Amino acid sequence: MAQTTPNATRGGFSTSFGILAATLGSAVGLGNIWKVPYLTGANGGAGFLLIYLLATLLIGLPVMMAEISLGRSVRANPIKVLRTLSPGRQPWWLVGLSGMLAAFLIMSFYSEVVAWVFAYILKAVRGTIMSSDPAVTQADFAQLVADPLQSLLWQWLVLAAVASVLIMGVAQGIEAITKRLMPLLFILLLILGAVGLTLDGAQQAMQFLFWPDFSKITATVVLTAMGLAFFKLSIGMGTMMTYGSYFTANQNIPQTAVRVMLADLGVSMLAGVAIFPAVFTFGFAPSAGPSLVFITLPAVFSQIPFGHGLMVVFFVLTAVAAMGAMLSLMEVPTVILQERFQMRRSRAVLLATLLVALPGAGSALSHSILAHIHVAGFNLFDLPDFVSSNVLLPTGGIIIALFTGWVWGRDKLQAELSNHGQLRNAKLTTVVFVLLRYVTPLLIALVMLRGLRVF
Ligand code: TRP
């Protein structure tokens, strides 16, 4: 039977603020500072952001609420949640397996970007990258990614750091650190944004970010924006289901989801305002791709007092934010291996880390010795990114929405979203239900099929 309080052996979050911090800690990560800016730049600016916003509201929020509700109602790993709630032997739990696969694929390129962040902490300390000359900062980045040994070693360091935190199970520790440091990151981004606005290119940047040009919008751009909505909110693969299983019985799920979404959006917008004025002022290409933050921010830091020290702080805080996200990603395969295959936590973590390191090496070496390898037009860095965000997460989203809307059903969803009638939010939860049952799955399917050129 469904339990309403976290059981002693599984543990869980204890305070309302802790829940918000942990959930936000999963959502906020490299996505805000690295992915949103570079995808916005590569896909034409404001039009892309607008579609991303729509996808977040119509798809992201309802799926997030569904995942958390499902997780809390059973309090188990995603596979067990769906097994428990499915009638007969219907294979809805397969979404847990695809979630595991998605976790490995996302981690494989994500850990490499964090590897660059680690390397940039060192570069910032040494003070070798303070320049507003695109040629200099670009060459610096290119040199790092073209070095196979450095790329691999930094990545292994990142994976080892994540694994040790997971094994020690110091969720409390990392939660406490994240809680304290995240506000700092926010403040630093505010400062950087304010500096950005004083640059000559500020007006052009604002226009680029906030004035949509719909001529740039293609089916692929729409698919990318939707994939980003999934990636940003950490949904479609069981992360939020797992976190939901740690929620307290009286946590307001819809409110938490909306707050996480808004805060996450705020951080992304700030990052955009910090980065794009420099792009237009110093002549960087907005479409630079994954290297965008790494080549433009040194230029911003070179323009401000204490820029050197602040750059070190910035990359350290970014690494901390990325850590929270990576822990939430790794928690899914870890808890599945633990509970499904009765593995000890340390074994589960080691196995999951090894399973990341394999495809991870492909991503790490994709700009050097494996640069010649392309699959369906993607290199080994972009491939796991594309497959996870644009195929696996949306597919997981469809399955979760259909399951909630057609199998689990309205009453159980509303019971969970209203804390069994304690919250008076019937109108809101009806909207969420209708979205999940009809709108969300159809919309995801259409965008995916069209974006993947199936029709
Ligand atoms: N949301 C995180 C970011 O933006 C990444 C992330 C963490 C994630 N957990 C996830 C993405 C689960 C998809 C699924 O950086």
Side-chain angles (χ1 to χ4, degrees), residues 76 81 132 317-318 335 341 355 367 371 383 389 409 414 448 453:
V81 167
S132 61
L317 292 178
T318 302
V335 98
F341 302 99
L355 289 172
H367 298 95
L383 184 72
S389 277
Q414 286 194 312
M448 246 178 97
R453 306 221 174 79

Side-chain angles (χ1 to χ4, degrees), residues 26-32 106 110 230-235 237 239 264 325-326 328-329 393:
S26 166
V28 171
L30 286 176
N32 309 66
I106 293 174
Y110 206 90
F230 276 93
F231 184 88
K232 271 315 307 137
L233 294 178
S234 310
I235 53 175
M237 55 154 282
T239 293
D264 179 63
M326 287 192 293
S328 79
L329 272 162
L393 300 184

